[in-house]
Amino acid sequence: MPSSQAPVVIYLPQYRSVLAFQQGDGQIKLQGEGNKAHISGIFAQSLSNLMAGSATPKDLQRLQILEKQHAWLKGISRGYTDEEQLHTLLLGESLGMLFIEVTDQCNERCIHCYASSSPDCNSFLTLSEIKHVLDDAREMSKPFVQFTGGDPLIHKALVPAVAYASQLNFQGIEIYTNGLLLSDALLTQLKPYQPRISFSIYADNAEIHDAITQLPGSWKKTLAAMQRAKQAGFDIRAGVALMPENISCVDRIIPFLQHEIALPAEHVRFDPVKQTGRGQFMTEASQILIEPSHAPNADHLRRGKLCVSANGNIYPCIFSRKNLLGNIRTKSLKENIQALKHRSGAQPSAKHWKYCRTSLSCGDCQIIAYALGEE
């Protein structure tokens, strides 16, 4: 079971971090990058000294032994707990992923929606705002850009936005959609820019899918849109949010999509519902947990992510919406990120750690949200 104690964030080289939980029996539990380890005795004491800023050369030698035993702890002998610049934790070596929610309006009303999107919402980023965000992001790095929402196909300037992103030569461009408005005409307009198109689909049958979207006929329309995009030569993938309502058909979804659309298994991604937005109905006990298949390479520099919402708010992740980093309508994306250099970390709180681990499934996001503290 996850610890209910307030952990300490230990910052490592390569823009990485781990959490340290002090145990009552003198042990320290370490957690990060989908890995866990318990250390005790002289190793735990040496790590405690490091965290207190009083590590001796002997302590560092012992911690170097830990690094050899656990590759994901590489650099812990040079770790520190006083994070002066949170922007390094957020962005890592560089910005790797940028989510742009062009609108919060959606033609579905999914029961789990992290952003509480619906036909009743009416926030939109202007094309000018989208272009400024893309310019700032490209100046900072070369991230992968996802246009999302709400449903991004509702935005009248989606094609010009994708076209502008294509000119800036990002790592990649993706549109995340339910596909209900993906007509042949729109596919033709998007064709020159070849964005990847990701579709949200929740089941291998209409009954379960339509109950989740609360829109009769949505499963049939989404499936047809996936088929049209695939036939038009677009790179497509499927995103499946897992919840108690659709867990019964999870083993059937990949074979179904392989048969119906010839979609490779590696192009289907499963994610547990996040405990945010309308997904707050999910309790910790009912969340579907997915263990990572492998940990990141300890030698690889960690890259960060950011989300710009339809009302201009900036968040550390599309799902981590309790930590407001600024708003592009008051300062540019670049200026907001620069301001993080002067933002101090949060005081440890067991209550806040419980929220982070139950509402966020990604270990990296959990640590970042915890370090930023509560709003």
Side-chain angles (χ1 to χ4, degrees):
M1 292 295 290
S3 173
S4 61
Q5 297 179 3
V8 174
V9 181
I10 301 178
Y11 300 94
L12 310 181
Q14 310 284 56
Y15 306 95
R16 297 164 48 244
S17 57
V18 297
L19 295 176
F21 299 83
Q22 295 277 2
Q23 309 288 295
D25 55 5
Q27 293 190 49
I28 296 178
K29 184 180 80 172
L30 295 173
Q31 175 180 321
E33 300 181 348
N35 297 280
K36 295 179 182 178
H38 286 82
I39 61 174
S40 59
I42 58 175
F43 294 103
Q45 184 58 57
S46 293
L47 185 57
S48 293
N49 292 343
L50 179 80
M51 291 158 57
S54 58
T56 66
K58 188 67 175 178
D59 290 325
L60 301 183
Q61 290 176 8
R62 290 168 180 161
L63 295 178
Q64 288 167 5
I65 295 174
L66 278 182
E67 295 179 16
K68 294 178 181 178
Q69 295 175 335
H70 305 281
W72 61 281
L73 292 178
K74 182 177 180 180
I76 198 167
S77 62
R78 292 174 285 144
Y80 58 99
T81 57
D82 182 20
E83 175 57 74
E84 296 179 353
Q85 296 183 341
L86 284 172
H87 77 292
T88 61
L89 174 64
L90 279 164
L91 299 184
E93 180 266 342
S94 64
L95 180 62
M97 182 74 192
L98 175 65
F99 302 96
I100 303 180
E101 297 175 346
V102 295
T103 179
D104 61 356
Q105 192 173 107
C106 188
N107 35 26
E108 295 179 338
R109 201 185 299 265
C110 296
I111 61 175
H112 63 285
C113 181
Y114 69 90
S116 299
S117 297
S118 76
D120 305 322
C121 297
N122 56 13
S123 293
F124 288 82
L125 292 174
T126 67
L127 179 58
S128 177
E129 288 172 333
I130 295 170
K131 287 182 174 181
H132 284 310
V133 167
L134 291 170
D135 284 336
D136 280 358
R138 189 63 185 88
E139 186 177 339
M140 286 190 286
S141 182
K142 189 180 180 180
F144 189 94
V145 176
Q146 183 189 90
F147 292 103
T148 182
D151 193 90
L153 303 190
I154 293 173
H155 201 296
K156 297 184 184 302
L158 176 64
V159 174
V162 172
Y164 190 77
S166 178
Q167 294 174 15
L168 295 179
N169 190 30
F170 284 99
Q171 180 183 338
I173 302 170
E174 179 179 81
I175 298 171
Y176 196 96
T177 177
N178 56 38
L180 302 191
L181 297 177
L182 192 61
S183 63
D184 288 331
L186 182 55
L187 285 170
T188 299
Q189 289 179 285
L190 291 170
K191 185 74 171 179
Y193 316 111
Q194 282 297 303
R196 185 170 71 184
I197 306 178
S198 181
F199 296 86
S200 54
I201 190 164
Y202 305 115
D204 63 337
N205 63 82
E207 181 180 5
I208 293 177
H209 178 96
D210 292 359
I212 291 173
T213 65
Q214 300 190 81
L215 182 64
S218 58
W219 179 80
K220 184 177 180 180
K221 291 179 180 179
T222 294
L223 193 61
M226 295 176 73
Q227 291 168 335
R228 283 197 301 274
K230 187 77 161 54
Q231 290 168 2
F234 285 84
D235 179 21
I236 73 169
R237 72 177 181 94
V240 186
L242 295 180
M243 62 198 90
E245 285 73 10
N246 68 350
I247 194 63
S248 63
C249 60
V250 66
D251 292 333
R252 304 193 302 267
I253 292 179
I254 289 180
F256 171 76
L257 293 175
Q258 287 175 325
H259 179 267
E260 294 293 321
I261 310 177
L263 191 65
E266 59 269 22
H267 286 203
V268 182
R269 173 168 176 164
F270 296 93
D271 286 299
V273 163
K274 310 303 187 294
Q275 202 174 21
T276 186
R278 285 197 294 272
Q280 287 182 0
F281 78 91
M282 295 291 290
T283 64
E284 182 181 354
S286 68
Q287 288 191 68
I288 310 301
L289 300 179
I290 302 176
E291 292 296 329
S293 58
H294 63 278
N297 188 327
D299 292 320
H300 190 270
L301 288 172
R302 197 188 125 263
R303 301 184 73 193
K305 52 192 170 185
L306 290 172
C307 168
V308 178
S309 70
N311 63 6
N313 283 342
I314 306 168
Y315 300 111
C317 177
I318 197 167
F319 300 116
S320 186
R321 307 178 83 85
K322 293 287 187 179
N323 298 109
L324 181 61
L325 305 178
N327 188 289
I328 63 164
R329 290 173 177 167
T330 56
K331 288 187 291 189
S332 70
L333 177 64
K334 182 179 178 181
E335 290 170 333
N336 275 292
I337 298 308
Q338 289 294 322
L340 292 172
K341 293 182 178 181
H342 309 292
R343 179 169 169 171
S344 59
Q347 293 298 315
S349 160
K351 178 182 177 182
H352 185 51
W353 168 241
K354 181 179 179 181
Y355 163 79
C356 293
R357 68 177 175 81
T358 55
S359 63
L360 300 167
S361 59
C362 167
D364 199 38
C365 284
Q366 290 176 359
I367 293 176
I368 289 171
Y370 178 66
L372 287 169
E374 301 176 84
E375 285 294 315

